[in-house]
């Protein structure tokens, strides 16, 4: 059985062979998209030397404490006064500084007496105060937003101020989902007798949306070889980049997926990984006329299915596209964890930060069918193959979900 690290490498290797496309979108539509170009500053920021306060722009000379008001400048209403010592121009925040002026006294710090301003405050007037110099924030030509950045609204101010009205982003990956199982009904139906709601279909589709990729549903298919094959062939022909199936990859009589993959021309890269939960995962690649589709046969157990998605789909995509956002976090274990086998376990846990230190505790039963714990968890605690015990108080690596 393949080890986790080797399986992950194989998935990354195949992911990197996918030909990702770029597209231009308007800045307003770029939010949460992955930047496919480096963005450079097209101007200095600020673009011109300006006032940081509403106040009076003066030509500072030591010893002069009174100034004649010679005019005013508002933001966007520049007038090129030549300010001499003893003169002041009323100026608003963001207004360009006139020549000669080198200091701004805030309006709150002065009094006006007989048409002259006087400095009120007892602390010294400092030459250069309240001036924002051209380029002091960012110099023209600086790399401001890196390729691979998932654009957030805090990036938009700078992009907009550099005039990026359209932005090159990675085209959303299309990720299809097929749920298989005779026992499955859709979630708006009350399941009778031994039926259950096909929750995986929804968890997978929304997990795809959560990454801001494009989910495509191919619905629920019963455990019938021909029907599954037909659905698979159809899904593979629709231009999707990745296909996820759920159910039917274990050792049961009706677990057909592995064989159906092969019969449908999917090259199996691995089946079964030495992990818990999620051991039965099958990974293959379909390649027709140069169009590659990565195919993941995920187990039906909802926790296995979800954990597999996080490990092999989400993390591979985010890592390969250098997307910011995920990182493994070390956290102090609140309890001792034990295991008997040599698998790598991913223990559902709750991680929280107290006084600047991360702590993590396992949550709920760790059965791969138990969705109560998954519902509460925000992290997967990594319990390596060769370890049998992770001691309370030691630090464990956690994958945030
Ligand atoms: P399988 O992998 O097909 O052997 O299914 C393993 C377990 O997962 C069984 O208890 C199934 O009923 C359950 N299961 C399969 N598909 C789904 C699904 N789409 N949503 C929720 N549970 C499922
Ligand atoms: Mg099944």
């Amino acid at each position: 059985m393949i080890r986790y690290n080797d399986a992950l490498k194989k998935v990354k290797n195949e992911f990197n062979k996918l030909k990702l496309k770029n597209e231009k979108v308007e800045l307003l539509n770029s939010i949460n998209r992955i930047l496919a170009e480096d963005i450079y500053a097209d101007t200095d920021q600020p673009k011109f030397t300006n006032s940081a306060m509403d106040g009076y722009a003066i030509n500072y000379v030591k010893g002069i404490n009174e100034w004649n008001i010679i005019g005013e400048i508002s933001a966007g209403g520049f007038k090129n006064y030549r300010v001499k010592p003893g003169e002041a121009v009323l100026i608003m925040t963001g207004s360009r500084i006139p020549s000669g002026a080198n200091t701004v006294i805030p309006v709150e710090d002065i009094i006006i007496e007989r048409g002259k301003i006087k400095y009120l405050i007892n602390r010294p007037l400092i030459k250069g105060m309240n001036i924002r110099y051209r380029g002091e924030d960012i110099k023209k030509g600086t790399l401001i937003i890196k390729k691979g950045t998932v654009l957030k609204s805090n990036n938009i101010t700078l992009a907009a101020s550099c005039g990026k009205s359209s932005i090159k982003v990675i085209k959303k990956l299309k990720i299809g989902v097929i749920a298989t199982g005779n026992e499955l009904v859709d979630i708006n139906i009350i399941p009778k007798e031994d039926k259950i709601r096909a929750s995986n279909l929804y968890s997978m589709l929304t997990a795809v949306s959560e990454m801001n990729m494009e989910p495509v549903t191919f619905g629920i298919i019963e455990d019938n070889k021909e029907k599954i094959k037909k659905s698979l062939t159809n899904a593979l022909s629709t231009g999707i980049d990745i296909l996820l199936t759920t159910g039917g990859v274990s050792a049961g009589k009706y677990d057909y997926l592995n064989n159906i993959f092969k019969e449908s021309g999917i090259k199996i890269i691995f089946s079964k990984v030495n992990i818990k939960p999620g051991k039965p995962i099958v990974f293959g690649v379909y390649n027709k006329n140069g169009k590659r589709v990565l195919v993941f046969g995920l187990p039906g157990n909802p926790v296995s299915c979800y954990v597999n998605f996080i490990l092999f789909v989400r993390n591979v995509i985010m890592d390969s596209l250098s997307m910011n956002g995920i990182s493994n976090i070390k956290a102090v274990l609140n309890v001792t964890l034990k295991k008997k086998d040599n698998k790598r376990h991913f223990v559902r846990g709750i991680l929280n930060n107290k006084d600047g230190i991360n702590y993590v505790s396992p949550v709920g039963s760790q059965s791969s069918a138990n969705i109560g714990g998954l519902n509460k968890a925000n992290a997967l605690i990594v319990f390596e193959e060769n370890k049998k015990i992770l001691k309370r108080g030691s630090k464990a690596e956690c994958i945030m979900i």
Side-chain angles (χ1 to χ4, degrees), residues 180-181 183 223 247-248 255:
T180 71
E183 71 278 37
D223 291 319
D255 291 334

Side-chain angles (χ1 to χ4, degrees), residues 179-181 183-184 196-201 246-250 255 298-302:
T180 71
E183 71 278 37
L184 304 178
I196 60 162
R197 293 188 174 109
S199 59
N200 291 343
L201 185 59
T246 77
V249 288
S250 311
D255 291 334
L298 306 178
N301 270 320

Side-chain angles (χ1 to χ4, degrees), residues 137-152:
D137 183 6
I138 289 162
K139 292 262 179 300
K140 180 177 175 176
T142 309
L143 172 60
I144 49 172
I145 314 176
K146 269 200 206 146
K147 193 170 164 173
T149 302
V150 178
L151 288 164
K152 297 288 170 191

Side-chain angles (χ1 to χ4, degrees), residues 22-262:
N22 297 332
E23 62 181 345
K24 283 235 167 188
V25 294
E26 285 181 22
L27 185 62
L28 284 178
N29 297 325
S30 70
I31 205 70
N32 289 327
R33 299 294 299 268
I34 308 162
L35 194 59
E37 60 176 334
D38 285 329
I39 298 183
Y40 294 88
D42 79 329
T43 62
D44 286 332
Q45 295 287 348
K47 207 167 138 274
F48 46 84
T49 299
N50 68 84
S51 176
M53 301 287 278
D54 292 319
Y56 287 88
I58 60 161
N59 181 331
Y60 176 92
V61 170
K62 205 169 178 209
I64 297 181
N65 294 313
E66 284 186 2
W67 300 269
N68 283 318
I69 303 166
I70 60 165
E72 74 168 58
I73 298 177
S74 58
F78 183 66
K79 293 189 200 91
N80 200 9
Y81 297 106
R82 296 187 181 282
V83 184
K84 295 197 246 352
E87 291 180 346
V89 170
L90 177 63
I91 197 161
M92 320 300 153
T93 305
S95 307
R96 188 169 156 191
I97 299 289
S99 59
N102 53 20
T103 302
V104 171
I105 309 173
V107 76
E108 297 88 342
D109 295 353
I110 59 107
I111 49 162
I112 302 182
E113 267 179 17
R114 282 169 270 118
K116 285 184 177 231
I117 63 164
K118 285 186 179 174
Y119 190 50
L120 257 188
I121 310 288
N122 280 334
R123 56 190 140 87
L125 195 59
I126 298 163
K127 185 177 179 183
M129 69 195 229
N130 302 317
I131 303 263
R132 303 190 286 214
Y133 293 97
R134 173 178 181 159
E136 74 172 22
D137 183 6
I138 289 162
K139 292 262 179 300
K140 180 177 175 176
T142 309
L143 172 60
I144 49 172
I145 314 176
K146 269 200 206 146
K147 193 170 164 173
T149 302
V150 178
L151 288 164
K152 297 288 170 191
S153 49
N154 69 306
N155 303 122
I156 302 300
T157 308
L158 190 50
S161 66
C162 286
K164 286 296 289 184
S165 55
S166 78
I167 296 223
K168 204 198 272 182
V169 294
I170 293 176
K171 223 172 167 187
K172 290 186 183 190
L173 289 167
K174 275 194 189 174
I175 305 182
V177 187
I178 302 174
T180 71
N182 280 340
E183 71 278 37
L184 304 178
V185 295
D186 207 349
I187 58 167
N188 49 4
I189 290 170
I190 297 171
K192 295 209 180 89
E193 294 170 353
D194 61 346
K195 306 286 184 198
I196 60 162
R197 293 188 174 109
S199 59
N200 291 343
L201 185 59
Y202 291 83
S203 68
M204 291 300 99
L205 292 169
T206 52
V208 170
S209 310
E210 197 168 42
M211 297 178 65
N212 205 22
M213 298 298 173
E214 192 178 328
V216 185
T217 181
F218 296 100
I220 300 165
I221 312 292
E222 62 198 69
D223 291 319
N224 171 306
K225 261 190 159 182
E226 288 317 308
K227 287 186 180 169
I228 296 175
K229 222 182 206 176
K230 211 170 147 197
S231 168
L232 203 65
T233 308
N234 167 52
L236 291 169
S237 71
T238 56
I240 55 172
D241 303 290
I242 296 174
L243 178 62
L244 312 174
T245 66
T246 77
V249 288
S250 311
K253 185 179 169 194
Y254 300 101
D255 291 334
Y256 298 133
L257 267 289
N258 211 320
N259 280 333
I260 297 175
F261 282 177
K262 286 181 206 151

